[in-house]
Amino acid sequence: MKAKLSISAVALVAMSATTFAADLPSRRAPPVYVPPVVAPTFTWSGFYAGGNVGGGFNDYASYGLAGNTAGTVNSILAGHTPGFLLTDASGVAAGAQIGYNFQLNQGLVGNALNGFGSVLSPVTGLFGLGASSGPVAGIEADADYTHFKSGVGVIGSTGFGTSALSDQNFLGTVRGRLGYGFGNVLVYGTGGFAYGKVHDNIQLSNIAGGVTGFGGVNRFQTGYTYGGGVEYAIPTASFINVFHSSAVTLKVEYLHYVLGDNVGVVADQRPAFLGNAFTVRTLNFGNVARAGINYKFDF
């Protein structure tokens, strides 16, 4: 009986000690808080630079001839000299660009499109489209080497010839860009100032092929341009993105340009029209389609 009482007493003391120890403050350090990893949200804002390559098509140089005197006026009216010539060129274009984008707050339109985008998430996910959408405004300057060279010749009613040659070897632009960024995809329109190096010549010749008149321009000419394009930011996990950052973008764009007209004078040296001259007005315009790659500097 005494043994049982002793065992019970020991058990009671042990239980009391355990309860007392549980009430004491813990000496162990609290667990370290590790914040969850949040992937950075891509934004189109920032400076960028890159290169482009493409080509020109339907790049025209138009030549309008007008007689300065009765003799040259009659030459055009009689069909000896054409009143209008048009050259049509195509060729390669390659160069570099630099610019800056600023992505605006989402606003009501952005929120509405994001809501619609959640419905299309199985599709947009294929292109790496994120939730960051909004209007994007920017400015871009580029300079391209071009090889747009063409010529045309016309034989007049009396056998005299008139020929024109156009050679454009440079095209540069300074443009504003305005579009909408659907996550990693930017759709934009663009327009602004254009300038280029043009070399336009016109030549008059007699029946035997000898040159009887020559004139032209070889200078930089200014004008305007407009167009649009699509740009895509490569996901960081893509093997194409060698920088493993959200800073590499690919784009395709189209531009139409017009370079202001030049006015020159071609003296007619044909015996029947000595002392007379033609006023020649030339205008260069065309289209460029190109693809490019940019690196966006995330300072």
Side-chain angles (χ1 to χ4, degrees):
M1 184 64 177
K2 291 181 178 181
K4 291 182 178 181
L5 289 175
S6 299
I7 293 174
S8 299
V10 172
L12 181 60
V13 172
M15 292 177 61
S16 299
T18 302
T19 303
F20 176 75
D23 293 336
L24 293 176
S26 175
R27 295 183 178 180
R28 290 182 297 176
V32 178
Y33 173 74
V34 179
V37 178
V38 179
T41 302
F42 176 77
T43 175
W44 288 97
S45 294
F47 290 95
Y48 63 88
N52 67 80
V53 64
F57 60 97
N58 297 136
D59 295 281
Y60 296 107
S62 65
Y63 299 78
L65 282 77
N68 289 3
T69 61
T72 52
V73 169
N74 291 332
S75 178
I76 294 175
L77 293 176
H80 304 322
T81 306
F84 181 78
L85 291 170
L86 183 69
T87 67
D88 183 2
S90 61
V92 298
Q97 68 274 345
I98 187 171
Y100 178 81
N101 288 322
F102 179 72
Q103 185 161 350
L104 307 177
N105 293 332
Q106 294 182 2
L108 295 177
V109 176
N111 291 333
L113 288 172
N114 286 338
F116 180 69
S118 63
V119 178
L120 300 178
S121 58
V123 177
T124 59
L126 295 176
F127 299 96
L129 301 183
S132 176
S133 298
V136 177
I139 186 170
E140 180 174 296
D142 60 60
D144 278 19
Y145 161 79
T146 61
H147 184 67
F148 306 153
K149 189 173 183 178
S150 60
V152 64
V154 176
I155 302 299
S157 58
T158 56
F160 289 95
T162 305
S163 59
L165 175 66
S166 174
D167 185 7
Q168 181 181 328
N169 54 28
F170 178 85
L171 178 66
T173 72
V174 180
R175 298 171 283 108
R177 301 205 310 172
L178 183 62
Y180 201 92
F182 299 89
N184 289 37
V185 176
L186 173 63
V187 181
Y188 63 90
T190 183
F193 174 75
Y195 60 103
K197 181 70 176 295
V198 297
H199 188 189
D200 297 325
N201 289 320
I202 193 165
Q203 179 176 288
L204 308 176
S205 59
N206 58 25
I207 299 175
V211 176
T212 61
F214 181 86
V217 295
N218 182 18
R219 67 179 184 182
F220 277 92
Q221 188 66 47
T222 61
Y224 63 90
T225 181
Y226 60 85
V230 178
E231 194 163 357
Y232 172 65
I234 306 174
T236 57
S238 172
F239 71 93
I240 302 176
N241 190 341
V242 296
F243 298 99
H244 301 293
S245 68
S246 297
V248 180
T249 67
L250 303 175
K251 72 172 184 176
V252 291
E253 68 180 1
Y254 158 80
L255 295 177
H256 177 76
Y257 68 90
V258 177
L259 299 179
D261 57 352
N262 298 300
V263 178
V265 176
V266 177
D268 192 341
Q269 300 175 11
R270 287 175 284 190
F273 305 108
L274 286 177
N276 297 324
F278 296 89
T279 295
V280 182
R281 184 179 297 272
T282 62
L283 179 69
N284 297 82
F285 57 98
N287 309 275
V288 175
R290 57 193 181 185
I293 184 169
N294 288 317
Y295 184 85
K296 187 167 76 68
F297 299 95
D298 292 322
F299 296 114

